[in-house]
């Protein structure tokens, strides 16, 4: 069987693309999971890219074609952002999202295309000082993806736990600091709720923030890490158990909203927003040994776009993402075939 060591994914072919979420003024920041025989797609609904009314919408589909809303999570005077599914070993689903509360006249200003929500909410994108924005990671639990329990805070205030995954009887998550100094931190939890730091400063420099995280069949952890500001190139980090010592490779390309997926044969693919030659959502091959990210296929997208969710089922890669290339910012589901 081929592995990421011998033969990274070489090509990809784009199949059907469907618009599945367009009910709000701005529909964005997606994730995708297959649970109990159906797909679930979660994303943020709001008036705009940065608005105080952000809520989490969950859609469900048995066939990947017809989608129906099954849940909407909201919180008064709070912008809920960037939902991420976590498949738990007890069969339940867990959902992580950021709860952002901003104050001050300038809060929420800036370049909505950068995705630097923490910086924008504090007015950093314009160089102006705004009232403080508070960030807290919330989590919900559900047996069916439709009925969700009450939200519970996890991690630390003003450290956004962007993504988490279970491995070896524990949940690992990577969070990034939304205030100075900017760094990312690795957490571990035995129950998925009590997150304790494993590596206080996993990476420092160039405003590290959003990340994708996977564990390989041999237990190796791989992290695809976004960076902004002056040093805006993405980093690829790898570590062996107990995941306290990491090696990092500069990929030499800028990415946004990274998602990372290990295929059954051990190869790695990523879903990212790329900016060179114009903003677009792309599926990429990841060669962790050479430290190379290779674009395989660009999905129909442009402008305000990206933040994909990835799921592999029956030999097809399904990608949820959002884009503003049509009349408004909507959520899409693409089917992609990968070749060796």
């Amino acid at each position: 069987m081929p592995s990421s060591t011998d033969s990274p994914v070489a090509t990809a072919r784009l199949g059907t693309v469907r618009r599945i979420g367009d009910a709000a003024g701005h529909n964005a920041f997606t994730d995708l999971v297959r649970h109990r025989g159906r797909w679930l797609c979660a994303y943020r609904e709001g008036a705009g890219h940065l608005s105080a009314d952000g809520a989490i919408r969950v859609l469900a589909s048995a066939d990947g074609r017809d989608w129906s809303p099954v849940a909407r999570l909201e919180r008064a005077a709070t912008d809920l952002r960037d939902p991420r599914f976590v498949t738990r070993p007890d069969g339940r689903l867990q959902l992580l999202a950021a709860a952002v509360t901003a104050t001050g006249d300038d809060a929420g200003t800036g370049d909505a295309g950068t995705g630097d929500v923490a910086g924008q909410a504090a007015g950093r994108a314009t160089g102006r000082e705004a009232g403080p924005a508070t960030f807290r990671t919330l989590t919900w639990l559900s047996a069916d993806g439709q009925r969700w329990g009450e939200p519970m805070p996890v991690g630390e205030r003003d450290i956004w736990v962007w993504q988490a995954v279970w491995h070896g009887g524990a949940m690992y998550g990577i969070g990034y600091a939304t205030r100075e100094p900017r760094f990312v931190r690795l957490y571990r939890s035995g129950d998925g709720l009590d997150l304790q730091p494993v590596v206080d400063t996993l990476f420092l420099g160039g405003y590290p923030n959003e990340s994708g995280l996977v564990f390989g069949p041999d237990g190796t952890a791989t992290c695809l890490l976004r960076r902004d500001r002056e040093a805006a190139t993405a980093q690829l980090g790898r570590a062996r158990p107990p995941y306290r010592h990491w090696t990092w490779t500069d990929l030499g390309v800028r990415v946004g909203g990274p998602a990372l997926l290990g295929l059954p044969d051990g190869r790695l693919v990523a879903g990212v927003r790329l900016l060179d030659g114009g903003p677009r959502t792309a599926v990429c091959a990841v060669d962790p040994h050479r430290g190379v990210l290779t674009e395989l296929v660009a999905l129909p997208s442009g402008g305000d776009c990206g933040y994909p969710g990835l799921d592999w089922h029956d030999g097809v890669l399904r990608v949820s993402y959002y884009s503003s290339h049509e009349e408004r910012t909507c959520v899409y589901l693409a089917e992609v075939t990968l070749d060796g």
Side-chain angles (χ1 to χ4, degrees):
M1 180 177 292
S3 69
S4 59
T5 302
D6 302 318
S7 55
V9 176
T11 60
R13 290 175 285 116
L14 179 63
T16 303
V17 179
R18 296 179 175 86
R19 183 196 291 190
I20 64 171
D22 59 4
H26 192 274
N27 311 272
F29 316 121
T30 79
D31 199 17
L32 183 69
V33 71
R34 185 168 175 82
H35 183 254
R36 297 193 173 184
R38 63 178 182 173
W39 284 279
L40 298 171
C41 179
Y43 59 93
R44 175 186 179 274
E45 290 184 333
H49 188 110
L50 289 171
S51 56
D53 62 344
I56 305 303
R57 170 69 70 187
V58 181
L59 306 179
S61 174
D63 58 12
R65 296 187 294 272
D66 298 318
W67 293 80
S68 301
V70 294
R72 190 174 193 268
L73 308 177
E74 54 190 334
R75 192 177 176 93
T78 302
D79 181 11
L80 297 179
R81 307 188 64 88
D82 299 84
R84 291 288 179 269
F85 288 115
V86 184
T87 301
R88 296 172 55 94
D90 62 9
R92 291 182 295 173
L93 275 180
Q94 189 166 344
L95 190 67
L96 297 171
V100 185
T101 304
T103 61
D105 292 340
D106 286 338
T109 61
D111 177 8
T114 67
D116 176 8
V117 177
Q120 291 169 68
R124 298 183 189 280
T126 61
R128 294 177 293 176
E129 286 302 317
T134 62
F135 290 76
R136 194 66 200 259
T137 306
L138 299 180
T139 194
W140 296 256
L141 297 176
S142 175
D144 58 7
Q146 184 168 335
R147 292 172 291 273
W148 296 85
E150 291 299 313
M152 296 169 281
V154 294
E156 302 166 88
R157 188 179 301 276
D158 293 326
I159 298 182
W160 187 339
V161 182
W162 177 259
Q163 190 215 33
V165 61
W166 280 83
H167 172 73
M171 190 178 85
Y172 292 85
I174 295 179
Y176 74 90
T178 60
R179 299 183 185 276
E180 299 295 343
R182 304 299 180 127
F183 59 86
V184 289
R185 176 167 291 170
L186 179 65
Y187 293 93
R188 183 185 185 278
S189 173
D191 63 2
L193 303 175
D194 181 20
L195 275 65
Q196 297 297 321
V198 175
V199 182
D200 285 338
T201 304
L202 185 64
F203 193 94
L204 181 69
Y207 187 6
N209 50 89
E210 302 159 356
S211 62
L213 177 66
V214 297
F215 291 86
D218 65 352
T220 300
T222 302
C223 172
L224 176 57
L225 180 64
R226 171 183 174 172
R227 293 194 302 164
D228 287 307
R229 296 183 178 168
E230 298 81 7
T233 51
Q235 299 286 309
L236 192 70
R238 306 200 84 202
R240 296 280 298 160
Y243 311 114
R244 298 184 183 277
H245 303 288
W246 291 67
T247 58
W248 294 91
T249 301
D250 193 320
L251 295 177
V253 62
R254 187 175 183 181
V255 306
L260 198 56
L261 178 68
L263 300 180
D265 60 16
R267 296 180 296 175
L268 297 178
V269 293
V272 297
R273 180 181 60 217
L274 296 175
L275 297 174
D276 57 306
R280 63 199 181 280
T281 307
V283 174
C284 301
V286 180
D287 188 333
H289 302 284
R290 295 173 55 226
V292 175
L293 185 75
T294 303
E295 183 176 2
L296 297 174
V297 62
L299 307 181
S301 55
D304 187 6
C305 67
Y307 290 73
L310 305 175
D311 178 74
W312 176 266
H313 180 70
D314 284 347
V316 176
L317 177 68
R318 288 172 175 83
V319 186
S320 64
Y321 68 101
Y322 83 96
S323 177
S324 61
H325 68 288
E326 295 186 317
E327 59 259 32
R328 66 181 189 278
T329 305
C330 303
V331 172
Y332 299 84
L333 193 286
E335 296 180 359
V336 177
T337 302
L338 303 176
D339 302 310

